[in-house]
Amino acid sequence: MSANAVYLLLVAVLFSAGVYLVLDRSLTRVLLGVLLVSNGINVLVLSVSGPAGGPPLYGTTPVEEMSDPLPQALILTAIVITLGVASFFLALTYRSWALDEREDVRDDVEDVRLAALRHDEDARSGSDPDDYGDDPQAGGDR
């Protein structure tokens, strides 16, 4: 079994761009990142599934020359699942826009409160609260 180098390069580009977009706070970019990663996985499955063969129909192609239909079935299933995930993200983005007229993921209020409590406890215990930097989420200064 050998994989095509162009497919593997395409997979690497799709994964890299997808992960970069998923790490953003914008829900639209997260959606695009999920779609890119999903397409990267589909190309990876297709590239490692072996060489293309004849149609797997009885009587049309000798058995030795038939392609394996399992990777195509897995990719088709992944496309359907990705469609469901994309529709969920679109509904989430629309709901966020309808409530706040924003589509960004905001800081959780409880996480910020817990970080402030940890910062106060560190200040009382004598440890250096500046070890956390300026990020209030990490318990640093505000």
Side-chain angles (χ1 to χ4, degrees):
M1 177 170 65
S2 65
N4 190 340
V6 175
Y7 284 157
L8 295 179
L9 180 64
L10 178 64
V11 168
V13 169
L14 288 174
F15 264 77
S16 301
V19 168
Y20 176 76
L21 290 174
V22 164
L23 295 177
D24 199 88
R25 288 187 168 250
S26 169
L27 288 175
T28 304
R29 288 184 181 207
V30 171
L31 170 65
L32 292 175
V34 167
L35 293 176
L36 286 178
V37 169
S38 173
N39 284 324
I41 292 171
N42 290 341
V43 172
L44 180 65
V45 169
L46 186 64
S47 66
V48 298
S49 65
L57 300 173
Y58 182 74
T60 58
T61 307
V63 176
E64 304 82 33
E65 297 175 8
M66 286 185 181
S67 64
D68 186 9
L70 183 61
Q72 286 87 7
L74 290 174
I75 291 171
L76 183 61
T77 304
I79 289 170
V80 172
I81 291 171
T82 302
L83 179 66
V85 171
S87 64
F88 174 72
F89 268 101
L90 284 175
L92 196 64
T93 303
Y94 174 74
R95 187 67 181 160
S96 176
W97 180 260
L99 289 177
D100 296 336
E101 295 186 0
R102 298 178 55 172
E103 54 117 11
D104 294 345
V105 177
R106 290 189 287 172
D107 294 334
D108 186 24
V109 176
E110 188 67 19
D111 286 345
V112 172
R113 187 183 70 80
L114 290 174
L117 285 175
R118 186 176 67 189
H119 179 72
D120 292 341
E121 289 175 7
D122 288 343
R124 275 186 261 137
S125 68
S127 63
D128 188 13
D130 290 334
D131 289 343
Y132 298 112
D134 293 332
D135 187 12
Q137 293 179 348
D141 293 334
R142 288 177 229 209

